[in-house]
Amino acid sequence: NRGLPVTIHRPATVTGHSNTGAWNLDNFLCRLIAGCIDIGKAPIEQMSFDIVPVDYVSKAIVYLSQQPQVIGKTFHFNNKWPVKSIDIIAWINAFGCPVQQVPFAEWRENVTAVTKQSTDHPLYPLLSMFQEDVVGEDKSVEIRKEYSVVKTEEALLMSGIQCPAADRALFDAYLSYLQRNGNIAQPTDQNDFIHSADSRH
């Protein structure tokens, strides 16, 4: 209203680099993955995560900030295909880190027990978020409708910048980064993982 040029950029959950896997280790999802791997358990309840790799978000915002015609507009940086928790757990197991799915209440008890022993545990800072029971309803469809990426894709069309799919290849990069940095243990069978990775190329 005062004549200042403003553009709004609204990213979803920003995750690690799509190629290197480099990730903010204090990120909620990053801590959740590392913590579940550490205790070997994850909630069986279905959840969806709308994630966007940091390299996509940064490139897109830098590009759009240099386009005078987009001033005054709002851009959402969401993934058109939110990743489901059941897929993430399957990819973690395929990577070689065994994680069993258990009811939320049982998982929460395990988290409470392990964090009492160590405040350095990845899940310790998240304890307050696990106090309420999970309501099994999946809101991902409503979220996608509310935060459409159509305008963002149209504005980025000429740049060639696209949001990477939240698939197994992306999570292999993330898990490899966490493993290299000592945040998760070595896969139980590294040879199987290497063979699996090679078979995708």
Side-chain angles (χ1 to χ4, degrees):
N1 289 339
R2 296 187 180 187
L4 295 175
V6 175
T7 304
I8 299 174
H9 301 278
R10 304 183 68 190
T13 300
V14 180
T15 54
H17 194 284
S18 61
N19 293 322
T20 67
W23 201 345
N24 174 11
L25 300 178
D26 284 329
N27 175 279
F28 169 79
L29 183 56
C30 187
R31 282 186 173 273
L32 187 61
I33 289 173
C36 287
I37 291 175
D38 181 73
I39 63 176
K41 294 181 180 180
I44 198 170
E45 282 75 14
Q46 178 81 319
M47 293 177 283
S48 293
F49 297 94
D50 188 352
I51 67 171
V52 283
V54 65
D55 49 312
Y56 160 69
V57 176
S58 59
K59 288 177 183 177
I61 291 178
V62 168
Y63 173 80
L64 292 173
S65 71
Q66 298 172 346
Q67 312 305 312
Q69 69 273 20
V70 306
I71 291 176
K73 296 182 179 181
T74 298
F75 297 100
H76 297 119
F77 301 93
N78 298 76
N79 203 310
K80 291 194 294 185
W81 298 279
V83 62
K84 296 190 178 299
S85 56
I86 190 172
D87 291 325
I88 296 177
I89 295 167
W91 297 332
I92 291 172
N93 278 285
F95 184 79
C97 298
V99 173
Q100 176 188 5
Q101 289 186 283
V102 297
F104 182 78
E106 178 182 341
W107 176 79
R108 183 170 55 191
E109 289 178 2
N110 282 269
V111 172
T112 301
V114 74
T115 52
K116 281 183 179 179
Q117 299 175 10
S118 172
T119 56
D120 292 330
H121 195 274
L123 295 177
Y124 179 79
L126 310 181
L127 280 177
S128 62
M129 304 179 69
F130 306 141
Q131 298 308 308
E132 296 183 5
D133 290 335
V134 173
V135 180
E137 187 177 359
D138 191 333
K139 297 290 187 181
S140 60
V141 175
E142 287 78 2
I143 291 173
R144 290 201 300 273
K145 289 179 180 178
E146 184 177 356
Y147 302 118
S148 172
V149 297
V150 172
K151 291 182 180 180
T152 305
E153 290 181 332
E154 290 176 349
L156 292 173
L157 186 61
M158 300 304 294
S159 71
I161 300 171
Q162 296 180 325
C163 181
D167 56 14
R168 178 177 172 180
L170 181 65
F171 276 82
D172 277 353
Y174 291 163
L175 293 169
S176 295
Y177 175 79
L178 294 176
Q179 182 267 313
R180 289 195 305 271
N181 283 270
N183 298 96
I184 64 173
Q186 288 276 354
T188 54
D189 193 334
Q190 187 72 10
N191 290 329
D192 283 350
F193 169 67
I194 293 173
H195 175 74
S196 174
D198 289 342
S199 67
R200 296 196 309 272
H201 300 290

